[in-house]
Amino acid sequence: MNILIENLKNLSNQILSAKKIDDYDEIIEVDKMRKILINQIFSRGLKALSEEDIKTIKLIAEENENLVAEISIASTMKIQSANKKMKAIKGYNF
């Protein structure tokens, strides 16, 4: 179980590194791997997890929840910016 938890930590660190450079495609890809790993961890049962493992998973889940909110806001801002550019281009063409 320790190996799975360490892999989860590593994936979380990769997500945070990708966030620092705003590489949202990388975040999404690593997050897919993270979800698969979490399923593997919980498929072994909660009894197999130590108290420390549970705290680690909870911390990572909280970090990822905040990250998802940030990505959602960033995506919305990019869409709004693209819409403004499209309107400007359409206005210029007429």
Side-chain angles (χ1 to χ4, degrees), residues 32-83:
K32 288 177 187 176
M33 291 185 285
R34 183 191 59 82
K35 288 177 184 177
I36 292 168
L37 185 59
I38 287 173
N39 286 336
Q40 290 175 351
I41 290 170
F42 285 110
S43 71
R44 297 188 179 196
L46 291 176
K47 291 181 180 179
L49 296 171
S50 70
E51 194 67 34
E52 183 180 335
D53 292 342
I54 293 171
K55 286 180 185 178
T56 299
I57 292 168
K58 182 179 176 184
L59 177 64
I60 289 171
E62 289 170 356
E63 289 173 353
N64 286 330
E65 182 180 351
N66 293 334
L67 184 61
V68 167
E70 288 179 37
I71 291 170
S72 177
I73 291 168
S75 296
T76 301
M77 291 173 62
K78 284 185 178 186
I79 291 169
Q80 289 173 344
S81 176
N83 284 337

Side-chain angles (χ1 to χ4, degrees), residues 10-28:
N10 289 335
L11 290 174
S12 181
N13 288 334
Q14 288 177 30
I15 289 171
L16 293 174
S17 295
K19 165 60 175 96
K20 288 179 184 178
I21 58 172
D22 293 331
D23 188 349
Y24 297 110
D25 292 331
E26 178 70 11
I27 291 169
I28 292 168

Side-chain angles (χ1 to χ4, degrees), residues 1-9 41 49 53 56-57:
M1 186 63 80
N2 288 338
I3 292 171
L4 293 176
I5 297 298
E6 286 303 313
N7 289 342
L8 183 62
K9 288 178 186 178
I41 290 170
L49 296 171
D53 292 342
T56 299
I57 292 168

